[in-house]
Amino acid sequence: MPPIARAAAGSATGGALTPGDALRYVNPALRPSAEMVARMSAEHGTPNDSTLAELRRPHPEFMPKRLPDVAVEERLIPVPGGAPAVKVFVINARAGSKRPAIVHMHGGGYIAGTAAFEVGKHQAVAKELDCVIVTVDYRLAPETRFTGSVEDNYAALKWVHDNAATLGVDPNRIAIMGESAGGGHAARLAITARDRGEVPVLLQVLIYPMLDDRTGSTVIPPFPLGSIGWDAPSNRYGWSSFLGMRPGGANVPAAGVPARVKDLGGLAPAFIGVGGIDLFVSEDVAYARRLIEAKVPCELLVIAGAYHGFDVVAADTAPARQFTKAKFDALRRAFGNSDV
């Protein structure tokens, strides 16, 4: 069990912990995978500057296999302001059609991950939803702070919109999506698109999004939240790398933190999904409430007893299938399918 889980659980129970303390709160269907995740978290420890290279080391043996019948093209997209071009993977494009599109940002705590890793998974999604997916290999922290990666993602979104005809995309049916840090990027991208007024966003799909730097810094969620997988110390490191400053303070710029943006009015409709013991559940529920109060249509799904990333680690379980179906149905409805 990660150290933060032990500390939080100890304060909550008033006594010594056993490995089963956190698992008691996990959905029974997810317990075997949760045990594996807890063991891996304990083995790897909290990410830091000295372990970052190992954290980013490619693991091709775990990459979803690419599909031979779904086209993939790697492109370099110009980023304004003298920044290096950002790499994207264009999946299932077909000139001459006019299909919906998803601009996707990968997870990794703002410090790790790569767009290439999940291309095979995106091929399957693009095929199932009959859409184009453009996944963005944005620059990572701490080498690049939030201002750089925000521009990478926006450049990709605007490129998809401006090149809709070539890609076979309907420019009025572009959704944005991401998981974890990618969900935070998607939320930030929705705000940027609203503020710049150049690209209409159809839907923002935020999957256990990383939205608030205060979680794990000035706000410590009660046990068992964050007890399996991504925990509070990891979150502090991710946010400090991304922001270039200590997270949680009054001087943290709202430009890098979706939860600190005061006005959420006028944003694209949202689907937010998260597990009930995910470190991010409280901030995600709060963000959904604020969207609703700002008159932004928002669907919120919380899977009881689910930990961070459960839908990937335990994809074949009933809770994961329920979660994935709800996500896909939200996209189908936004794309124009009224039967779901």
Side-chain angles (χ1 to χ4, degrees), residues 1-6 8-9 19 21-26 34 37-39 41 221-232 277-279 306-308:
M1 189 184 301
I4 189 66
R6 292 196 292 270
D21 284 328
L23 294 174
R24 288 191 297 112
Y25 297 91
V26 176
V37 171
R39 285 196 303 271
S41 297
F223 180 81
L225 307 190
S227 59
I228 304 292
W230 189 257
D231 60 12
I277 61 169
D278 193 310
L279 179 72
Y307 57 87
H308 191 71

Side-chain angles (χ1 to χ4, degrees), residues 39-88:
R39 285 196 303 271
M40 292 177 63
S41 297
E43 289 170 5
H44 291 96
T46 302
N48 56 63
D49 290 349
S50 64
T51 63
L52 198 53
E54 175 61 23
L55 182 65
R56 293 176 178 174
R57 184 169 63 86
H59 290 278
E61 66 273 21
F62 296 123
M63 290 178 66
K65 291 184 179 179
R66 296 196 180 188
L67 305 180
D69 58 339
V70 179
V72 177
E73 182 183 5
E74 186 176 322
R75 298 288 298 267
L76 290 174
I77 307 304
V79 179
V86 62
K87 181 168 64 178
V88 302

Side-chain angles (χ1 to χ4, degrees), residues 67-113:
L67 305 180
D69 58 339
V70 179
V72 177
E73 182 183 5
E74 186 176 322
R75 298 288 298 267
L76 290 174
I77 307 304
V79 179
V86 62
K87 181 168 64 178
V88 302
F89 292 88
V90 181
I91 300 165
N92 205 32
R94 191 186 309 144
S97 59
K98 201 172 184 181
R99 296 177 299 153
I102 299 170
V103 175
H104 174 266
M105 281 68 62
H106 66 79
Y110 295 127
I111 56 174

Side-chain angles (χ1 to χ4, degrees), residues 104 123 130 203 240 264 301 309:
H104 174 266
Q123 285 179 297
D130 190 25
L203 179 72
S240 64
L264 300 183
L301 175 62

Side-chain angles (χ1 to χ4, degrees), residues 50-212:
S50 64
T51 63
L52 198 53
E54 175 61 23
L55 182 65
R56 293 176 178 174
R57 184 169 63 86
H59 290 278
E61 66 273 21
F62 296 123
M63 290 178 66
K65 291 184 179 179
R66 296 196 180 188
L67 305 180
D69 58 339
V70 179
V72 177
E73 182 183 5
E74 186 176 322
R75 298 288 298 267
L76 290 174
I77 307 304
V79 179
V86 62
K87 181 168 64 178
V88 302
F89 292 88
V90 181
I91 300 165
N92 205 32
R94 191 186 309 144
S97 59
K98 201 172 184 181
R99 296 177 299 153
I102 299 170
V103 175
H104 174 266
M105 281 68 62
H106 66 79
Y110 295 127
I111 56 174
T114 170
F117 186 84
E118 297 181 331
V119 166
K121 184 181 79 172
H122 294 315
Q123 285 179 297
V125 173
K127 188 174 183 178
E128 180 171 344
L129 299 180
D130 190 25
C131 69
V132 179
I133 297 180
V134 176
T135 184
V136 189
D137 206 30
Y138 58 84
R139 287 169 287 170
L140 298 174
E143 294 88 346
T144 300
R145 306 302 186 190
F146 70 92
T147 50
S149 50
V150 165
E151 293 304 326
D152 290 348
N153 294 326
Y154 185 77
L157 173 65
K158 192 168 187 305
W159 178 82
V160 171
H161 182 264
D162 293 349
N163 293 274
T166 303
L167 298 170
V169 166
D170 182 346
N172 295 310
R173 289 192 295 163
I174 300 175
I176 57 180
M177 181 170 72
E179 304 82 26
S180 194
H185 273 305
R188 181 64 259 177
L189 184 56
I191 294 166
T192 304
R194 176 201 63 179
D195 293 348
R196 297 185 184 180
E198 297 175 313
V199 181
V201 174
L202 180 69
L203 179 72
Q204 49 178 324
V205 180
L206 313 180
I207 305 304
Y208 30 83
M210 185 174 174
L211 299 171
D212 196 336

Side-chain angles (χ1 to χ4, degrees), residues 321-335:
R321 289 194 297 268
Q322 175 192 355
F323 190 76
T324 300
K325 182 180 184 301
K327 174 180 67 177
F328 285 175
D329 284 352
L331 284 160
R332 288 187 177 101
R333 286 191 295 272
F335 291 162

